[in-house]
Amino acid sequence: MNDDRFFERVRNDAGQLRYEPDDDVMWSRLAARVRERVQLAPRPTVAELLAGWLRPLAASVAALMVFTALAAGYVAQNSRDSSAAAIDSISASADFNTTIDDVYGFAE
Amino acid sequence: MATAVHVMEGLGGGPLSSLGRLLSSVGTDSGTSPAVDALERRAVSAVKSGDANAYDYLVFKYMKRVVSIAWGIVRNPDDAEDLAQEAFVKAYQTMGRFNADQPFGPWIYRIVTNLALDVVKHRRRFQQQALSESQQAPRRDTADLQASSNELAGRIDEAINSLPVMQQLVARLYLVEQFDHAEIAGMTGLSEGTIRSHLSLARRKLKDQLSDLYGADHE
């Protein structure tokens, strides 16, 4: 007998190993317990259903706001750095006296 | 059974004479005919709409199989009954996620398999921490087998029990519960390839242990 045939025979014989007690009282008791627990299970209220919908939506909005705030902060920081760098470069490239003359020269 | 009849009437299941034939198969998971599938689908839809009474149909249909699966894993009848209850309650509570066009069986079988495996894992951890081998409670699972004291069944059971955990689980679902590869994959979350691999290894070991029983035909 090859392996497949062996396994098929074992499968045929193993079916009787199922646990299926011939006990109607037991099956009825189990079904009754399930029914009892299922009947007692609280049904969700409208508020709970809405919360179920809105919770993930609120989480997404919050995440988006955090991201936006961080991004805005990053952009603002970059802008300040650029302006400061520009001012520094203008001051560094200009002669100070020349600058004074430029400012006060016309007034003389 | 009377409750199931009431449930069927509530679902508009038709004359009691035809219902009687259907209900005679309830609890044995024989739902392969279109009529039964339609009834199951209606029961599921009713439950999803909030009709808890309709759940009785599903409980009656699948309870025996669910208990058998649980027992095969935990090997204790009280635990198996508790697990079966838990599985049905959990399935009811999460019915909103279940697609009514799909058969209920694979879903409840998956739930009970996962619950039973959790119990086994928890037991192993507890045994490793707290108990020595000499203190382990004697096995009583073979005493619970349904009136099947013949040598063949006992030897097969013993041989399956000797397998490593996952091979044992897959072998039991395949050989005893007689699910196919795809169904076992759905219940365990393993791929079909892995299932086949486990079965192949299990088959080799079982052949070594049971060769005397299937003796002269072994060529």
Side-chain angles (χ1 to χ4, degrees), chain A residues 1-24 26-44, chain B residues 3 50 52-53 55-56 59 63-65 67-68 71 77 81 85-86 88-89 92 144-146 148 150 152-153 156-157 174-179 199 203 206-207 214 217-219:
Chain A
M1 185 193 323
N2 63 19
D3 284 358
D4 287 342
R5 179 74 188 124
F6 160 75
F7 222 36
E8 201 180 302
R9 283 192 60 186
V10 174
R11 203 180 191 208
N12 285 339
D13 294 330
Q16 59 188 305
L17 290 172
R18 281 195 206 174
Y19 178 71
E20 289 181 346
D22 189 16
D23 184 348
D24 288 340
M26 173 195 140
W27 298 116
S28 299
R29 173 170 40 86
L30 282 176
R33 282 192 188 157
V34 171
R35 190 182 310 124
E36 188 185 314
R37 289 180 64 180
V38 151
Q39 300 280 4
L40 284 175
R43 297 182 61 182
Chain B
T3 308
N53 288 331
Y55 200 54
D56 282 350
V59 173
M63 178 59 87
K64 285 188 177 177
R65 204 72 190 281
V67 169
S68 180
W71 185 86
E81 290 179 25
Q85 285 180 53
E86 284 302 321
F88 276 104
V89 171
Y92 178 81
D144 304 317
L145 283 174
Q146 180 193 16
S148 170
N150 67 72
L152 180 63
I156 294 173
D157 191 51
Y174 183 75
L175 296 170
V176 178
E177 301 299 332
Q178 302 187 347
F179 290 111
L199 281 176
R203 181 172 52 197
L206 290 176
K207 202 171 177 183
Y214 295 93
D217 295 340
H218 258 219
E219 288 305 325

Side-chain angles (χ1 to χ4, degrees), chain B residues 85-101:
Chain B
Q85 285 180 53
E86 284 302 321
F88 276 104
V89 171
K90 190 170 182 183
Y92 178 81
Q93 289 171 341
T94 54
M95 193 64 99
R97 285 189 235 150
F98 179 69
N99 182 351
D101 292 328

Side-chain angles (χ1 to χ4, degrees), chain B residues 8-114:
Chain B
M8 297 317 306
E9 284 175 331
L11 293 173
L16 281 179
S17 57
S18 60
L19 280 175
R21 283 196 295 280
L22 280 171
L23 286 171
S24 67
S25 66
V26 163
T28 58
D29 183 23
S30 61
T32 52
S33 70
V36 175
D37 288 342
L39 286 169
E40 178 176 304
R41 209 176 303 127
R42 281 156 72 186
V44 169
S45 299
V47 171
K48 284 163 79 75
S49 306
D51 182 2
N53 288 331
Y55 200 54
D56 282 350
Y57 175 76
L58 299 170
V59 173
F60 275 110
K61 184 175 177 183
Y62 291 104
M63 178 59 87
K64 285 188 177 177
R65 204 72 190 281
V66 167
V67 169
S68 180
I69 291 169
W71 185 86
I73 298 172
V74 299
R75 310 293 284 184
N76 178 293
D78 295 330
D79 287 349
E81 290 179 25
D82 288 344
L83 284 168
Q85 285 180 53
E86 284 302 321
F88 276 104
V89 171
K90 190 170 182 183
Y92 178 81
Q93 289 171 341
T94 54
M95 193 64 99
R97 285 189 235 150
F98 179 69
N99 182 351
D101 292 328
Q102 298 297 319
F104 184 74
W107 194 49
I108 188 72
Y109 299 153
R110 181 166 190 163
I111 293 174
V112 73
T113 301
N114 286 334

